[in-house]
Amino acid sequence: MSEYVKIKIGLDFHGVITSNPEYFKKFAAEALKRKMELHVISGGPKATIEEYLRQWQIPYTTIFAILDFYDAKGCVKFFENGEFKVDDDLWNSAKAQYCEKEHIDLHIDDSLSYSEGFSTPFCFYDGKAKQCQIEDKWHINFQKSPEQTLEDIEIFIKEQRAKDNL
């Protein structure tokens, strides 16, 4: 008998969670109820994301904020006007690297600029259509109930894992 491996979902903050916080509140609660991990992955800053998630009562497993990650490494240049700069290559590859390191099964994001370098399946999210697409093969419909959407995600991940084990 094969050992159960927890499903890990990466979920972008700006443009995904913020596009429909009421839905993602239910989605996140259902994912955690199913013993999945939900990684909120975003540019940051982490404190702003935490506050928003707290206000909307959106549960999660962990937050990865690119700004905070590179600030801790001394790779951020801050300006007097409050703006900051991180090397574009570092910034754009951070989500892919995080997903690979943390063994994320599926990352949902509304920005294709982050999709470069992903080995993790990347689901491009369209907030207006409330669905995301993984390459040309799969569509995940966020107009369905969170339970049905998570079932579709589970099916996709099980199929991916079966292919990877061939």
Side-chain angles (χ1 to χ4, degrees):
M1 174 152 51
S2 65
E3 181 180 318
Y4 173 75
V5 178
K6 186 180 288 193
I7 291 176
K8 298 179 179 184
I9 300 172
L11 195 57
D12 178 48
F13 178 69
H14 297 101
V16 177
I17 292 174
T18 60
S19 74
N20 194 350
E22 196 60 51
Y23 180 88
F24 284 105
K25 173 182 177 178
K26 295 171 189 163
F27 176 90
E30 180 65 23
L32 295 178
K33 185 173 123 184
R34 293 174 184 229
K35 308 278 188 248
M36 297 176 172
E37 287 186 12
L38 190 62
H39 296 242
V40 177
I41 303 171
S42 189
K46 184 177 180 180
T48 303
I49 295 167
E50 286 174 324
E51 177 61 20
Y52 183 94
L53 296 174
R54 186 191 61 71
Q55 286 178 349
W56 278 95
Q57 299 176 344
I58 299 172
Y60 58 91
T61 304
T62 193
I63 296 172
F64 173 73
I66 300 170
L67 175 62
D68 299 80
F69 176 75
Y70 284 121
D71 186 27
K73 292 181 167 287
C75 298
V76 181
K77 182 176 181 179
F78 290 96
F79 301 99
E80 288 183 21
N81 65 1
E83 293 182 13
F84 63 88
K85 177 69 178 153
V86 175
D87 178 77
D88 288 342
D89 290 338
L90 290 177
W91 187 271
N92 291 335
S93 66
K95 289 183 180 186
Q97 290 174 12
Y98 176 83
C99 286
E100 184 174 351
K101 177 180 171 261
E102 295 298 323
H103 306 286
I104 302 297
D105 293 292
L106 176 68
H107 179 63
I108 302 164
D109 206 300
D110 70 319
S111 178
L112 280 175
S113 65
Y114 293 114
S115 67
E116 295 283 323
F118 258 82
S119 57
T120 299
F122 185 96
C123 201
F124 178 59
Y125 182 77
D126 178 342
K128 289 182 183 170
K130 294 184 179 158
Q131 66 176 354
C132 71
Q133 183 173 334
I134 307 164
E135 298 172 351
D136 292 331
K137 301 169 190 152
W138 267 85
H139 293 274
I140 305 290
N141 187 346
F142 288 87
Q143 292 179 32
K144 294 180 179 181
S145 72
E147 294 82 4
Q148 291 173 314
T149 300
L150 284 162
E151 285 173 21
D152 290 346
I153 289 171
E154 287 176 326
I155 290 167
F156 169 77
I157 290 169
K158 285 177 185 173
E159 286 184 11
Q160 283 300 118
R161 287 179 177 176
K163 271 197 241 177
D164 291 345
N165 288 330
L166 290 179

